[in-house]
mmCIF file of all heavy atoms in Angstrom:
data_model
loop_
_atom_site.group_PDB
_atom_site.id
_atom_site.type_symbol
_atom_site.label_atom_id
_atom_site.label_comp_id
_atom_site.label_asym_id
_atom_site.label_seq_id
_atom_site.Cartn_x
_atom_site.Cartn_y
_atom_site.Cartn_z
ATOM 1 N N ARG A 1129 52.945 124.151 98.437
ATOM 2 C CA ARG A 1129 52.506 125.425 98.996
ATOM 3 C C ARG A 1129 50.991 125.492 98.937
ATOM 4 O O ARG A 1129 50.384 125.026 97.984
ATOM 5 C CB ARG A 1129 53.089 126.572 98.172
ATOM 6 C CG ARG A 1129 54.583 126.657 98.247
ATOM 7 C CD ARG A 1129 55.106 127.915 97.578
ATOM 8 N NE ARG A 1129 54.419 128.321 96.388
ATOM 9 C CZ ARG A 1129 54.791 128.014 95.149
ATOM 10 N NH1 ARG A 1129 55.839 127.262 94.937
ATOM 11 N NH2 ARG A 1129 54.125 128.467 94.115
ATOM 12 N N PRO A 1130 50.335 126.113 99.931
ATOM 13 C CA PRO A 1130 48.884 126.276 99.876
ATOM 14 C C PRO A 1130 48.502 127.053 98.619
ATOM 15 O O PRO A 1130 49.149 128.014 98.248
ATOM 16 C CB PRO A 1130 48.562 127.097 101.130
ATOM 17 C CG PRO A 1130 49.716 126.872 102.041
ATOM 18 C CD PRO A 1130 50.908 126.648 101.160
ATOM 19 N N GLY A 1131 47.470 126.587 97.940
ATOM 20 C CA GLY A 1131 46.982 127.272 96.748
ATOM 21 C C GLY A 1131 47.728 126.929 95.484
ATOM 22 O O GLY A 1131 47.446 127.470 94.427
ATOM 23 N N SER A 1132 48.710 126.034 95.560
ATOM 24 C CA SER A 1132 49.498 125.737 94.366
ATOM 25 C C SER A 1132 48.933 124.573 93.562
ATOM 26 O O SER A 1132 49.439 124.252 92.512
ATOM 27 C CB SER A 1132 50.948 125.428 94.742
ATOM 28 O OG SER A 1132 51.013 124.216 95.450
ATOM 29 N N VAL A 1133 47.866 123.957 94.053
ATOM 30 C CA VAL A 1133 47.295 122.811 93.360
ATOM 31 C C VAL A 1133 46.364 123.284 92.248
ATOM 32 O O VAL A 1133 45.600 124.218 92.430
ATOM 33 C CB VAL A 1133 46.529 121.910 94.357
ATOM 34 C CG1 VAL A 1133 45.904 120.735 93.652
ATOM 35 C CG2 VAL A 1133 47.475 121.434 95.442
ATOM 36 N N LEU A 1134 46.461 122.658 91.096
ATOM 37 C CA LEU A 1134 45.604 123.027 89.980
ATOM 38 C C LEU A 1134 44.144 122.798 90.323
ATOM 39 O O LEU A 1134 43.787 121.850 91.000
ATOM 40 C CB LEU A 1134 45.965 122.179 88.746
ATOM 41 C CG LEU A 1134 47.361 122.420 88.183
ATOM 42 C CD1 LEU A 1134 47.635 121.431 87.065
ATOM 43 C CD2 LEU A 1134 47.511 123.827 87.680
ATOM 44 N N LEU A 1135 43.284 123.667 89.837
ATOM 45 C CA LEU A 1135 41.849 123.586 90.097
ATOM 46 C C LEU A 1135 41.145 122.810 88.995
ATOM 47 O O LEU A 1135 41.687 122.611 87.919
ATOM 48 C CB LEU A 1135 41.263 125.001 90.196
ATOM 49 C CG LEU A 1135 41.934 125.904 91.220
ATOM 50 C CD1 LEU A 1135 41.383 127.319 91.095
ATOM 51 C CD2 LEU A 1135 41.724 125.370 92.620
ATOM 52 N N ALA A 1136 39.926 122.411 89.248
ATOM 53 C CA ALA A 1136 39.151 121.654 88.266
ATOM 54 C C ALA A 1136 38.592 122.570 87.184
ATOM 55 O O ALA A 1136 38.462 123.769 87.364
ATOM 56 C CB ALA A 1136 38.014 120.921 88.962
ATOM 57 N N ALA A 1137 38.225 121.968 86.069
ATOM 58 C CA ALA A 1137 37.642 122.700 84.960
ATOM 59 C C ALA A 1137 36.235 123.159 85.313
ATOM 60 O O ALA A 1137 35.515 122.497 86.037
ATOM 61 C CB ALA A 1137 37.592 121.802 83.730
ATOM 62 N N THR A 1138 35.857 124.324 84.804
ATOM 63 C CA THR A 1138 34.515 124.840 85.022
ATOM 64 C C THR A 1138 33.964 125.349 83.704
ATOM 65 O O THR A 1138 34.700 125.534 82.735
ATOM 66 C CB THR A 1138 34.503 125.999 86.041
ATOM 67 O OG1 THR A 1138 35.339 127.043 85.559
ATOM 68 C CG2 THR A 1138 34.988 125.549 87.402
ATOM 69 N N ARG A 1139 32.667 125.601 83.679
ATOM 70 C CA ARG A 1139 32.041 126.150 82.475
ATOM 71 C C ARG A 1139 31.141 127.300 82.909
ATOM 72 O O ARG A 1139 30.304 127.160 83.776
ATOM 73 C CB ARG A 1139 31.236 125.078 81.756
ATOM 74 C CG ARG A 1139 30.535 125.592 80.514
ATOM 75 C CD ARG A 1139 29.789 124.449 79.817
ATOM 76 N NE ARG A 1139 28.853 124.961 78.872
ATOM 77 C CZ ARG A 1139 29.132 125.270 77.616
ATOM 78 N NH1 ARG A 1139 30.345 125.120 77.179
ATOM 79 N NH2 ARG A 1139 28.208 125.737 76.810
ATOM 80 N N ARG A 1140 31.324 128.448 82.281
ATOM 81 C CA ARG A 1140 30.496 129.620 82.537
ATOM 82 C C ARG A 1140 29.916 130.068 81.203
ATOM 83 O O ARG A 1140 30.609 130.679 80.398
ATOM 84 C CB ARG A 1140 31.335 130.753 83.123
ATOM 85 C CG ARG A 1140 31.883 130.441 84.485
ATOM 86 C CD ARG A 1140 32.641 131.646 85.046
ATOM 87 N NE ARG A 1140 33.484 131.203 86.134
ATOM 88 C CZ ARG A 1140 34.801 131.107 86.054
ATOM 89 N NH1 ARG A 1140 35.431 131.420 84.960
ATOM 90 N NH2 ARG A 1140 35.494 130.681 87.083
ATOM 91 N N GLY A 1141 28.631 129.778 80.969
ATOM 92 C CA GLY A 1141 28.010 130.149 79.703
ATOM 93 C C GLY A 1141 28.719 129.485 78.546
ATOM 94 O O GLY A 1141 28.915 128.281 78.528
ATOM 95 N N ASP A 1142 29.155 130.294 77.578
ATOM 96 C CA ASP A 1142 29.870 129.770 76.411
ATOM 97 C C ASP A 1142 31.371 129.689 76.653
ATOM 98 O O ASP A 1142 32.121 129.281 75.776
ATOM 99 C CB ASP A 1142 29.625 130.660 75.187
ATOM 100 C CG ASP A 1142 28.216 130.518 74.661
ATOM 101 O OD1 ASP A 1142 27.599 129.475 74.937
ATOM 102 O OD2 ASP A 1142 27.740 131.443 73.982
#
Side-chain angles (χ1 to χ4, degrees):
R1129 295 188 323 265
S1132 68
V1133 179
L1134 295 174
L1135 305 173
T1138 59
R1139 179 178 165 87
R1140 294 183 197 107
D1142 288 338

